[in-house]
Amino acid sequence: MSLLEVETLRVAFDTEAGPVEAVRGISFAVDRERVAIVGESGSGKSVTGRSILRLVRPPGRVAADRMHFDGQDLLALSERRMRAIRGQRIAMVMQDPKFALNPVMTIGDQMTEGLRYRDGMSRRKARSIAIEMLAAVQIRDGERVMRAYPHEMSGGMGQRVMIAMMLIPDPDLLIADEPTSALDVTVQAEILAILDDLVKQRGMGLIFISHDLRLVSRFCDRVLVMYRGKIVERLDANHLERAQHPYTRGLLNCLPSIGGDRGALPVLNRDAAWAE
Amino acid sequence: MPLIEIDNLHVTFGKGRDAVRAVRGVSVSVAACESFGLVGESGSGKSTILRAICGLAPVTGGNIRINGVPMPKRRTKAFSKRIQMVFQDPYAALHPKRSVDATLAEPLAIHGIAGRDERVVRAMHDVGLDPRFRFRYPHQLSGGQRQRVVIARALMLEPEILLLDEPTSALDASVQAEVLNLLARLRVERSLTYLMVSHDLAVIDHMCDRLAVMQNGQVVEQLDRAALANDGAVEPYTRALFRASEHDTMGRVFPE
Ligand SMILES: Nc1ncnc2c1ncn2[C@@H]1O[C@H](COP(=O)(O)OP(=O)(O)OP(=O)(O)O)[C@@H](O)[C@H]1O
Ligand SMILES: Nc1ncnc2c1ncn2[C@@H]1O[C@H](COP(=O)(O)OP(=O)(O)OP(=O)(O)O)[C@@H](O)[C@H]1O
Ligand SMILES: [Mg+2]
Ligand SMILES: [Mg+2]
């Protein structure tokens, strides 16, 4: 039995213009490993992550044949039990970290809230854990950042604060939605090393949502490729060259490279049949 | 005369023990029709410089001149018609209660520009947004779709200067290529000037003629494209970034 098992997950939203099928029957399992979800903008990656944590609100509709986490049926849990799992056992680093953080609460209060009120830790102890975590994500002026509000963070700092915050409770499963999209390669490497360590040393499961196929090929174990709400391909991360799907194969050609000729970059001609 | 002149700029947020000297004596000039890149560590002051040009940061010293004219104290209508910014944080940049249609049409209404429907539809098409997203609200869009709305809005007024803060960081390679191609094409067609921030050196190299490297509020190095490609960077941070990015392109997953 895997840590997380998802069978035939469907998510639809009712909009004024009619229903939008964001996720169209996907199945996957995650163990104590690094699983990547890649795919085009709008393909359903974030919605998939959010539905695992029951964060899709009406008029969004989530249905699945089965959704089990560590032996518990996530579909049947009461809202109260779900709250206990959310953030504690399954944490999610949101794609828009500044939006996900509480704008009127200092970073320090948000980071230490759980430690103090749930774990009953002293203010001092909680603070020192939070500052240590900020240092781990390469935030040097942790003291100042603890006193600051989310809007006072740079883009990349907000991302790192969110990662630090989600790692404090030591979750069994981390869903990281584009966690390093605002970070340059040098800081990115440090963050990935932390995540790697948590998977290898502490047996955390990691769902790494990213649009960066190259990054994922180096960092993850397995890759799920989504296209228009479906998983169209499943690959071993170190064998992406075996990709069959034209979307996956076309993706890497679109990237610019240093010293390139600066001509128009190749783009994908999407085929309606890919979505089938 | 350069189109954008930043001269010994200082920006300090807050005061006392929490004062952050986000920008410390930065001088950069960008010629008309040039595309200039800003790279650097997270938190080094890149976004703050772009915001200062728009009058959205507490400038404590130095000057910013556009075409030789010092920046107006308050952002005027004429100024925003000339200079538009694509903010790094698409969610924060969009009004939650405004649909894509309303967001894109608003600048047209303010500036009394006709042809609303046609312009909105074209702007959406330009950034690769399907017309069915037109009446959606920000929370009903994916991260990359929101980023494209922000880019489309900046293009509505056909400004001559575009300040682009990580414009493609939330986009997958195929959509990024479409947006970069659009920006490159517009720059030629409309003689635009870009000042662009990205953490991706390959994107900067593809789009920009020159770049400045920032660390801790200061520009530590300025170089042009040829110097970058010929391994001419001197600063350890630039070199580390270059080596890591080079490694990135070398490690192609699919052989050509
Ligand atoms: N509340 C909503 N109402 C209607 N449609 C929605 C809603 N939330 C998401 N969608 C749509 O569902 C689809 C999947 O969205 P999702 O956010 O999962 O994309 P994504 O794969 O994470 O893309 P990106 O890489 O751009 O972040 C998108 O087309 C989006 O417009
Ligand atoms: N409104 C604000 N109040 C206080 N400090 C701020 C504010 N805005 C930015 N800062 C601080 O100024 C510094 C520079 O921030 P800036 O957003 O310019 O960085 P950046 O180079 O764009 O980084 P990133 O690549 O992470 O986006 C950071 O230390 C940040 O915390
Ligand atoms: Mg997303
Ligand atoms: Mg920034």
Side-chain angles (χ1 to χ4, degrees), chain A residues 20 41 96 98 144 147 160 181 183-184 211 218 240 247 252 257-260 262-263 265 270, chain B residues 17-18 42 136 146 148 169 171-172 174 178 181 199 205-208 225 237 248-249 252-254:
Chain A
V20 174
S41 173
D96 288 281
K98 282 204 212 165
R144 193 260 302 181
R147 290 190 294 268
R160 288 177 285 157
S181 66
L183 301 176
D184 69 61
H211 61 267
R218 285 199 307 266
L240 286 193
Y247 170 73
L252 285 166
S257 59
I258 295 179
R262 292 179 122 185
L265 298 165
R270 296 171 186 76
Chain B
R17 64 174 179 174
D18 287 335
S42 171
R136 294 239 192 127
R146 279 195 289 269
R148 283 177 278 168
S169 65
L171 304 178
D172 67 287
S174 65
E178 285 163 21
N181 287 346
H199 67 277
D205 181 73
H206 181 75
M207 295 294 293
C208 302
R225 226 188 145 232
Y237 174 74
D248 225 42
T249 26
R252 285 229 175 246
V253 184
F254 298 137

Side-chain angles (χ1 to χ4, degrees), chain A residues 13 15 20 22 40-47 95, chain B residues 133 136 139-145:
Chain A
F13 295 96
T15 68
V20 174
E40 184 165 57
S41 173
S43 57
K45 307 182 294 293
S46 300
V47 167
Q95 185 171 12
Chain B
F133 295 128
R136 294 239 192 127
H139 76 274
Q140 298 177 314
L141 299 172
S142 79
Q145 289 161 352

Side-chain angles (χ1 to χ4, degrees), chain A residues 98 141 144-145 148-160 182-184, chain B residues 11-14 18-23 39-51 56-58 88 165-166 197-199 214 216-217:
Chain A
K98 282 204 212 165
D141 48 351
R144 193 260 302 181
V145 165
Y149 290 89
H151 76 273
E152 298 173 327
M153 297 292 100
S154 79
M157 288 164 79
Q159 233 168 20
R160 288 177 285 157
L183 301 176
D184 69 61
Chain B
V11 178
T12 304
F13 292 102
D18 287 335
V20 182
R21 296 182 61 200
V23 180
V39 302
E41 286 186 329
S42 171
S44 61
K46 306 179 296 292
S47 300
T48 304
I49 291 182
L50 299 198
R51 297 175 68 93
L56 297 173
Q88 180 172 13
D165 199 351
E166 300 278 5
V197 174
S198 173
H199 67 277
M214 291 196 62
N216 206 1

Side-chain angles (χ1 to χ4, degrees), chain B:
Chain B
M1 182 175 51
L3 183 59
I4 309 173
E5 269 176 289
I6 300 172
D7 186 17
N8 196 24
L9 181 72
H10 287 260
V11 178
T12 304
F13 292 102
K15 33 177 152 353
R17 64 174 179 174
D18 287 335
V20 182
R21 296 182 61 200
V23 180
R24 304 186 293 147
V26 165
S27 300
V28 163
S29 45
V30 184
C33 306
E34 190 182 17
S35 176
F36 191 94
L38 271 182
V39 302
E41 286 186 329
S42 171
S44 61
K46 306 179 296 292
S47 300
T48 304
I49 291 182
L50 299 198
R51 297 175 68 93
I53 298 175
C54 292
L56 297 173
V59 173
T60 47
N63 288 294
I64 299 173
R65 287 184 295 272
I66 305 295
N67 230 343
V69 181
M71 280 262 314
K73 276 272 173 306
R74 289 188 53 236
R75 215 147 58 125
T76 60
K77 231 163 98 170
F79 179 84
S80 55
K81 175 114 175 56
R82 289 184 73 189
I83 304 187
Q84 281 287 314
M85 174 153 172
V86 172
F87 290 90
Q88 180 172 13
D89 214 351
Y91 226 130
L94 295 173
H95 193 290
K97 298 245 158 68
R98 231 169 256 161
S99 67
V100 174
D101 179 71
T103 302
L104 298 183
E106 190 199 12
L108 298 177
I110 294 176
H111 291 267
I113 298 170
R116 178 195 194 281
D117 279 356
E118 169 195 315
R119 281 171 193 267
V120 167
V121 169
R122 195 182 55 217
M124 290 184 65
H125 172 83
D126 279 347
V127 295
L129 279 176
D130 196 285
R132 67 199 152 97
F133 295 128
R134 183 165 168 194
F135 296 101
R136 294 239 192 127
Y137 293 89
H139 76 274
Q140 298 177 314
L141 299 172
S142 79
Q145 289 161 352
R146 279 195 289 269
Q147 195 165 40
R148 283 177 278 168
V149 173
V150 177
I151 296 173
R153 180 179 58 185
L155 295 173
M156 291 310 290
L157 292 177
E158 308 194 347
E160 66 188 282
I161 299 174
L162 264 185
L163 309 174
L164 300 155
D165 199 351
E166 300 278 5
T168 60
S169 65
L171 304 178
D172 67 287
S174 65
V175 179
Q176 167 171 282
E178 285 163 21
V179 170
L180 293 182
N181 287 346
L182 168 75
L183 291 172
R185 178 167 60 79
L186 287 179
R187 189 159 78 89
V188 174
E189 284 174 7
R190 301 188 191 161
S191 308
L192 304 185
T193 305
Y194 292 167
L195 180 53
M196 174 166 178
V197 174
S198 173
H199 67 277
D200 185 334
L201 210 50
V203 166
I204 290 288
D205 181 73
H206 181 75
M207 295 294 293
C208 302
D209 313 307
R210 292 190 300 137
L211 66 141
V213 184
M214 291 196 62
Q215 224 175 350
N216 206 1
Q218 294 178 308
V219 169
V220 292
E221 183 159 20
Q222 291 204 31
L223 57 169
D224 62 17
R225 226 188 145 232
L228 184 67
N230 296 321
D231 203 12
V234 180
E235 280 298 314
Y237 174 74
T238 323
R239 295 192 62 81
L241 203 59
F242 180 72
R243 242 176 290 119
S245 316
E246 199 179 37
H247 168 81
D248 225 42
T249 26
M250 301 305 236
R252 285 229 175 246
V253 184
F254 298 137
E256 304 290 334

